[in-house]
Every structure is written in C-alpha cells, then in structure tokens.
Amino acid sequence: MGLSLIPVGGYGEVGRNCTAIEVDGELFVLDLGLHLDNYVRLSDDDDVVHRFSKKLLIEEQAVPDIDVLDKDRVKAVLISHAHLDHVGAVPYLANAFPCDVHGTPFTMAVAQRLVQDKRAELRNKLVAHEYREIFPLSERVKAEFVEVTHSTPHTAAIALHTPYGVVLYLNDFKLDESPALGNRTDLDRLRSLRPEVLIIDTLYADLDEHTPSERRAKLLLENALLSRDLTGRNVLVTTFSSHVARLCEIAAIGRRMGRKVMFVGRSMAKYLEAAKEVGVSSLIDEHEVVRYGSKVRKALSKVSCFQDYLFVVTGGMGEPKAVLSRIVDEGLVPFRRNDVVVFSNRVIPTPAIVESRERLERQLADRGYELLRDLHVSGHGAGRDHQAVLDAVKPAYVVPVHGEDSQREAFRRRALRSGVLDARVLVLRNGERRDL
C-alpha cells in the first residue's frame, strides 16, 4: 500500500499544524495545533475554561479538520513541541484517536496542563520520550525525537522510521550555535537519517538570511534595560509565555536592575510549572508568580512601590483580555508618562494579530509611555537556515508547511536551486492527499 502524506492543517496558513502519514494503511498524526487567530476570536480570554464542541472549532477553523482521517486507523499522535499552534488542540481532539500521544518531557508536561485547564478527560496516555530514543508505534513503524533549537524547551524533529524510508517532520526549528537553554540542533543525527521525505517549517523562507542566536535577544534586552537610568519609572516586559529561556534572561536582568521580578498571567505560570516539573528551570520557585487573571488586581493592590518591580506579563500580541491590556485599561498599575513597556516578541504575522498589536501600541503611545519594540530574536529558521538543512539531510522529497503561499513558494525556489526535482517539491493544500 506504500507511503502517503495527508495534510490536515498548516498548509498555506500559519498555525493549526497537523499532518498525517499513512504507512501501509496505518496512520500517524504529527501535531494537533490551534489556529491562534481563530481560537482567540472564539475564546477571547485564556483565563476562562471553554468547552467548545469539536464541531464548532472545526467550523471556525480553530483546530485541524481531523474528520478527513479514518480515526480508527491512527496508531499514534506525536507532538513536536509545546507551542499552542502545535499542541493546543490536544484537549479537544486527541480523544478521537484510539492511541497514545507522544512527545518530549516538557511538551507532555504542558499538554497535561492544557488538558487540566480545559477540564477535559483525556482517554489517551501522554507518553514522554528522550531525544534519540527509538520507540515502536506499530509492527512496521518506529519513531524518534531529534533535538532541535526553538523558542520553547524540548522542541523536536519527529522522525518516522518506515519500510519506505524516514519521514522527517521539522516543524519548527532554528540553527542557533549558542542557544541560551538546551543544546544546538542535532544536525549530525538529522544528517544520518537521510530522509525520504522532509516536511519543513517555512515561516521565514522568504528572508534570505540566517536567524540570529538567542544571545542577541539577551544583549538587546540588557542594552535597553541596563544602559539607562530607570529610577522611579514603572517597567513592564511582555514576551511569549512559552519562551522559558527568555523568561530566565529577563529575570536575571531584573535582578541586575535591583528590582523584584513578578510574572503575571495564567499561561506564563503554566509553562513555568512545566519547566520546573521536568527540571528545565526553577524560576517559579524564585520569583512571585500571579497564576490567574482573577487574582491580578488583588496581587497588584498589595504592591507598595511599583518602581521596585520588573513586571513580566502576558499580552504581547495585543489580546484585549490578556494581562498587559488589562493593566493599562483597568489601571492596575499606576502608569505615568515616560513609564516603560518592553515588547520582547514580534507579532505573529497574521492580519488579526497584527491589528490587535497595533491597536495596543497606539493606546500605549497616546498615554505617553515609552515603547521599546522588537527586543527579540525569532525561533524560526530563515532562508539560509533552510539551505543548511537541505544541504545536510539531502531529502528525496520536500514538503513546505507552516507558512503562507508566498513563503512556501520562496522555499520551493530554494529547493529547486538545491537540486531537488520539481516533481518532488510538494506544495500541498489542507486535505490534499499525496501518494509517494
């Protein structure tokens, strides 16, 4: 029966990542992610427990449409990492499959918390694996997680070992020679796999550059916060909750500023708890953490001198109900002109999120706050990183995913220049099955 690809989500879009691989009639699902724009539009507030029906989530394109799959034939679900656009649909969809969910330790710790947050009853077992551990999924197929650098801990490339060669799912990754947390992308192992098929993240494939190291983000933050006199000024920093390395860097800078560090936001607490559980970071024990939105007002009301603190908050995408917007709109911190708001992230490049962030920035600027933007380095490889991967692993087929059409087309052109045959660069759409 052979080898087939079934794109389910993330093809021609940013988010909703999900790919099924069929091997001799058996199905293996790689990632179950949310489309963040559509999910936020539905949920509006991540502090509320939502019990959306699967039908509604699929209709609103917030989760992959797994109804294109014969669920009884699915032998395993494998999650590449702990970002919501890859793991966030597990609480809603995993029960549809009669199999275990596999991931690295941090990813499974986050998945467990997502399930608990949604008060779901997951019938599937969440199984954690170490890097380079090869484990069976069926009589004919084995799997392996290979270490890659990204902007959340324990990110992995997923290698499916099949009778028809290795299918390598590299979604997401960067090539960082000096990562702030964890090790470099395991190019030696990726190279040795010699995959038949490479499915690869192409979010920044249209940029002919190499994504800089996370060390650069640390330097940007240090220069912004340590090279000026911020005495008497309130300082808030927002970044991605899942970026544990960045949270560690910000906390260290806060200590050097002589300020107490307070982390505020449910999702931030969730990732810090998971990081402690698997031994990645003990930040949650070292600093004050406000876990729930309902507790934010009370916690901040107990602060006697706000200038003694560095506040690290959720809401960098401009989400109306997230902590940063609430602090500003509800006056939870007594902001004054020239107080500082640091954006240690970039906007996820989708129209709704860009619009939300721009709206928030206008509100902050109109009130006279100093905005320090883009003190950030991406966790996604760009064009030259894609070139390095193509040169290293030499796949027979390449499948660009996790990008708009323009980004996937840029990758297609690069793959052709690298010697991949035109017929073997598969620019697929969601639901477009391809037999190999």
Side-chain angles (χ1 to χ4, degrees), residues 120-180:
E121 294 183 7
L122 200 67
R123 294 190 295 271
N124 319 72
K125 184 178 179 181
L126 300 178
V127 185
H129 302 272
E130 299 299 327
Y131 293 128
R132 289 200 178 194
E133 172 193 345
I134 300 176
F135 52 95
L137 302 178
S138 71
E139 289 186 4
R140 297 176 62 77
V141 176
K142 298 177 181 180
E144 175 183 4
F145 291 111
V146 180
E147 184 167 15
V148 301
T149 307
H150 189 39
S151 51
T152 198
H154 292 185
T155 298
I158 302 171
L160 285 186
H161 297 265
T162 84
Y164 308 100
V166 170
V167 177
L168 181 60
Y169 182 79
L170 189 58
N171 187 15
D172 302 328
F173 80 101
K174 70 183 288 187
L175 302 180
D176 190 336
E177 290 301 310
S178 55

Side-chain angles (χ1 to χ4, degrees), residues 240-342:
F240 295 112
S241 300
S242 57
H243 204 326
V244 177
R246 186 74 52 79
L247 297 179
C248 291
E249 293 160 6
I250 294 168
I253 291 170
R255 288 192 292 267
R256 291 171 64 185
M257 295 170 69
R259 297 194 178 212
K260 303 172 185 177
V261 178
M262 181 186 290
F263 295 99
V264 188
R266 184 187 189 97
S267 61
M268 203 159 281
K270 185 186 310 172
Y271 281 100
L272 290 178
E273 288 169 354
K276 178 189 175 183
E277 178 184 319
V278 300
V280 168
S281 167
S282 58
L283 274 183
I284 198 163
D285 292 333
E286 299 166 2
H287 302 281
E288 188 172 352
V289 178
V290 182
R291 288 170 167 79
Y292 302 107
S294 59
K295 306 293 185 182
V296 172
R297 182 180 296 276
K298 182 177 180 180
L300 294 177
S301 70
K302 296 179 179 179
V303 174
S304 57
C305 183
F306 287 89
Q307 295 80 39
D308 290 342
Y309 280 81
L310 178 66
F311 298 97
V312 188
V313 303
T314 59
M317 293 297 106
E319 308 96 307
K321 298 295 184 179
V323 173
L324 178 55
S325 292
R326 287 191 56 211
I327 283 176
V328 175
D329 294 340
E330 300 174 26
L332 302 181
V333 172
F335 266 120
R336 299 160 300 180
R337 295 186 67 83
N338 296 319
D339 284 343
V340 179
V341 178
V342 176

